[in-house]
């Protein structure tokens, strides 16, 4: 219980530097900067660090603490479940009460036909499960050659080897010799970066057409599935033109390609609907979800399996050779159930749709005239602004990513967490954030933009 007692922050920093290999971290730089920032407690939309700073968390942790911090109800749900039944597995025809209840609850939240749920522990694992479900589905249908997955450059689907292959993050691919064979990538629907002189709708059609072109290049008989996030999160809150997803639906149906909607970030209210597929009119066959499912209080993820795929598994003789020790973990399921109850009871989805989402959109507009800002965009409580050297020409600063890092650090220095995805600044606060806290977040964004302009000698 180190975090709850008096501790020596310098000693902790030394321990961390010496023994903790961090995810996605440049360790040489970290050591040079004197070690990690230690977060010790949190409440509502704020976290506190070991130096006593109170920081507005504009990222809800890592896009996940949808109901905000400090929810005793969630702690109690975990405690009660752990005292009663801390663990039992869900292999070999067994289940636990919260596991069965959560499966039922999720199938009620998902579109008609999504009657089956597979549980995992992270978004990456959920997408590994998606891969196995899809491959098995086509094998059961007698079409095992339908095996290739198509996804987008700059999409993010996790960090296991399969999930990173599905993702389109060049840096991850380079380090690992990925993607594995059988993973193909197409352009992303990112108008600001790739739209050139086209209007948004024409660009939306072009980006969707890339899927049809790729399917025809590979041969529809070889293509198993297309996977995409409704809004690319880690890629920089890329909000596609309105006509993009309906066109993707059409193309997937035309060529009998399964459509996987990665709701790991967009699920559980983030875009102002329970799920991103509702906001964007996506008609998926499979729905991986994680993060907001438990608001990050315990690790859990799920894959919603639509009627078409579920039917094949229900009719199968023999078993689906896949599962994790902690699939359907009772404590994680109990927390997820309580989390869904809170989202519903407090009307958080409606709050994002009607109040805070529109408020964020308006507040971000106040940044649009800043000389460093090329575009602002948002949907629900996902917001972004692009850092540019030249607004009209939409040109970036060199080297790529430096302006973003500088701006992100200035946000931190002003006690707000925002994330830099390259030179795109993004925010994804808890769904409990109030309008005045959104204003405070955007005010820090402006202060940080001014400081960044000064540091870059720009604007
Ligand atoms: N799909 C999507 C859409 C995600 O955003 C995953 C899958 C993988 O989830 P797990 O639980 O395995 O991490 C994610 C995760 C970032 C950042 O810095 C984003 C994620 C994870 C870590 C960092 O933006 N997204």
């Amino acid at each position: 219980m180190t975090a709850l007692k008096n501790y020596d922050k310098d000693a902790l920093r030394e321990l961390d530097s010496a023994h903790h290999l961090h995810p996605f971290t440049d360790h040489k730089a970290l050591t040079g900067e004197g070690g990690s920032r230690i977060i010790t407690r949190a409440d509502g939309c704020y976290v506190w660090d070991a130096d006593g700073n109170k920081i507005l968390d504009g990222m809800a942790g890592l896009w996940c603490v949808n109901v905000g911090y400090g929810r005793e109800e969630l702690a109690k749900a975990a405690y009660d479940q752990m005292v009663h039944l801390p663990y039992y597995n869900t292999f070999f025809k067994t289940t636990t009460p919260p596991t069965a209840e959560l499966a039922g609850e999720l199938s009620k939240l998902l579109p008609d036909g999504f009657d089956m749920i597979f549980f995992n522990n992270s978004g990456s694992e959920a997408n590994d499960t998606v891969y196995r479900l899809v491959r098995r589905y086509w094998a059961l249908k007698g079409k095992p050659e339908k095996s290739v997955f198509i996804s987008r450059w700059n999409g993010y689907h996790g960090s296991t080897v399969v999930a990173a292959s599905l993702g389109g993050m060049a840096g991850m691919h380079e380090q690992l010799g990925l993607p594995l064979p059988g993973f193909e990538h197409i352009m992303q629907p990112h108008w600001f970066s790739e739209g050139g002189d086209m209007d948004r709708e024409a660009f939306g059609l072009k980006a969707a057409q890339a899927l049809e072109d790729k399917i025809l290049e590979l041969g529809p008989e070889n293509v198993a599935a297309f996977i995409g996030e409704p809004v690319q999160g880690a890629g920089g809150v890329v909000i596609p033109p309105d006509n993009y997803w309906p066109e993707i639906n059409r193309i997937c149906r035309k060529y009998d390609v399964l459509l996987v909607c990665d709701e790991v970030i967009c699920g559980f209210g983030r875009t102002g609907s329970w799920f991103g597929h509702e906001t964007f009119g996506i008609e998926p066959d499979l729905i991986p979800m994680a993060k907001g499912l438990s608001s990050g209080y315990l690790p859990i993820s799920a894959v919603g399996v639509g009627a078409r795929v579920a039917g094949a598994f229900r009719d199968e003789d023999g078993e689906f050779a896949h599962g994790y020790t902690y699939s359907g973990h009772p404590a994680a399921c109990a927390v997820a159930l309580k989390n869904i109850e809170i989202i519903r009871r407090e009307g958080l989805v409606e709050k994002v749709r009607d109040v805070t989402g529109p408020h964020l959109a308006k507040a971000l507009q106040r940044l649009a005239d800043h000389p460093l800002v090329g575009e602002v965009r948002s949907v629900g409580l996902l917001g972004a602004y692009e850092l540019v050297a030249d607004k009209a020409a939409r040109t970036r600063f060199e080297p790529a990513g430096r302006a973003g890092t500088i701006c992100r650090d200035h946000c931190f220095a002003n006690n707000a967490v925002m994330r830099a995805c390259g030179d795109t600044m993004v925010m994804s606060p808890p769904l409990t954030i109030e309008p005045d806290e959104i204003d405070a977040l955007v005010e820090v964004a402006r202060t940080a933009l001014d400081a960044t302009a000064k540091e870059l000698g720009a604007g």
Side-chain angles (χ1 to χ4, degrees):
M1 299 287 277
T2 313
L4 300 182
K5 63 183 190 201
N6 284 334
Y7 46 79
D8 177 342
K9 60 180 192 248
D10 296 326
L12 276 182
R13 225 168 251 136
E14 266 175 41
L15 273 178
D16 193 79
S17 274
H19 301 296
H20 181 188
L21 189 57
H22 290 245
F24 284 96
T25 294
D26 175 339
H27 275 265
K28 211 167 178 182
L30 181 66
T31 308
E33 287 159 15
S36 299
R37 179 190 291 269
I38 305 170
I39 302 299
T40 56
R41 73 185 176 93
D43 193 33
C45 296
Y46 297 90
V47 298
W48 279 260
D49 69 15
D51 298 313
N53 294 306
K54 179 184 177 185
I55 303 163
L56 179 54
D57 185 3
M59 283 307 298
L62 264 182
W63 324 75
C64 57
V65 187
N66 286 16
V67 300
Y69 299 96
R71 295 281 190 169
E72 288 193 13
E73 276 182 280
L74 293 183
K76 191 160 182 315
Y79 175 86
D80 289 347
Q81 184 57 47
M82 284 190 194
V83 170
H84 208 69
L85 176 72
Y87 173 74
Y88 201 74
N89 70 69
T90 55
F91 287 38
F92 321 131
K93 304 180 187 169
T94 56
T95 193
T96 80
T99 315
E101 251 188 79
L102 181 61
E105 194 62 35
L106 289 175
S107 71
K108 268 193 270 166
L109 283 174
L110 293 172
D112 283 351
F114 277 78
D115 292 336
M116 294 192 92
I117 311 291
F118 193 99
F119 289 111
N120 332 261
N121 311 287
S122 68
S124 303
E125 286 182 9
N127 282 327
D128 248 274
T129 294
V130 161
Y131 179 78
R132 287 152 178 265
L133 283 168
V134 169
R135 292 295 304 268
R136 186 80 192 125
Y137 170 78
W138 286 117
L140 289 170
K141 288 280 154 195
K143 296 181 178 175
E145 67 286 354
K146 255 176 121 57
S147 62
V148 179
F149 281 68
I150 303 175
S151 54
R152 283 93 56 88
W153 292 116
N154 201 37
Y156 189 78
H157 300 292
S159 198
T160 57
V161 170
V162 160
S165 293
L166 287 171
M169 294 296 175
M172 294 174 83
H173 289 179
E174 271 162 32
Q175 285 192 2
L176 292 159
L178 297 178
L180 296 174
F183 294 85
E184 296 281 334
H185 297 79
I186 59 170
M187 71 179 291
Q188 56 173 337
H190 192 345
W191 176 82
F192 184 80
S193 288
E194 302 181 21
D197 295 330
M198 299 180 97
D199 68 39
R200 278 183 65 84
E201 296 286 299
F203 176 71
L205 286 183
K206 177 184 162 182
Q209 184 61 40
L211 175 60
E212 185 156 25
D213 294 347
K214 181 59 88 176
I215 291 171
L216 292 173
E217 175 196 321
L218 295 165
E221 67 284 7
N222 298 314
V223 180
F226 171 74
I227 182 171
E229 306 152 76
V231 175
Q232 288 153 252
V237 181
V238 178
I239 304 170
D242 289 342
N243 57 354
Y244 177 77
W245 277 112
E247 190 62 9
I248 295 284
N249 289 335
R250 187 189 67 74
I251 293 166
C252 286
R253 293 292 163 257
K254 179 170 175 190
Y255 297 103
D256 202 18
V257 166
L258 294 172
L259 177 47
V260 185
C261 181
D262 185 336
E263 295 272 8
V264 169
I265 283 179
C266 292
F268 301 94
R270 178 60 56 196
T271 67
S273 314
W274 272 92
F275 293 96
H277 63 258
E278 299 166 69
T279 304
F280 290 92
I282 306 167
E283 294 163 5
D285 295 293
L286 292 164
I287 303 176
M289 60 196 112
K291 296 190 189 270
L293 168 57
S294 64
S295 286
Y297 278 65
L298 281 179
I300 181 169
S301 69
V303 179
V305 185
R308 183 173 174 187
V309 177
F313 281 83
R314 279 190 205 277
D315 295 343
E316 181 188 4
D317 294 324
E319 57 183 43
F320 177 40
H322 175 54
Y324 305 105
T325 300
Y326 302 123
S327 286
H329 191 285
C333 289
V335 167
L337 279 167
K338 185 58 79 177
N339 175 63
I340 291 168
E341 184 189 315
I342 292 172
I343 295 175
R344 199 175 271 134
R345 188 201 321 137
E346 297 186 2
L348 292 179
V349 178
E350 296 76 14
K351 178 174 170 159
V352 174
R353 185 189 64 207
D354 300 335
V355 182
T356 47
H359 193 90
L360 176 64
K362 233 163 84 191
L364 280 174
Q365 277 306 325
R366 297 201 289 273
L367 302 178
D369 64 352
H370 196 282
L372 248 54
V373 173
E375 181 187 66
V376 301
R377 55 178 181 266
S378 70
V379 56
L381 284 182
L382 285 171
Y385 47 102
E386 300 282 355
L387 303 181
V388 288
D390 182 329
K391 269 171 111 80
R394 285 190 242 151
T395 46
R396 307 270 191 190
F397 290 100
E398 298 284 341
R402 177 161 167 262
T405 304
I406 291 171
C407 192
R408 193 263 327 269
D409 290 348
H410 282 299
C411 292
F412 248 130
N414 285 279
N415 291 328
V417 186
M418 273 170 255
R419 168 131 160 56
C421 302
D423 289 316
T424 309
M425 296 299 300
V426 305
M427 55 181 81
S428 167
L431 308 189
T432 51
I433 196 168
E434 295 297 341
D436 61 329
E437 292 169 321
I438 291 175
D439 290 337
L441 191 62
V442 172
E443 209 34 57
V444 171
R446 175 170 281 282
T447 305
L449 280 166
D450 290 342
T452 305
K454 208 162 153 195
E455 194 167 332
L456 292 170

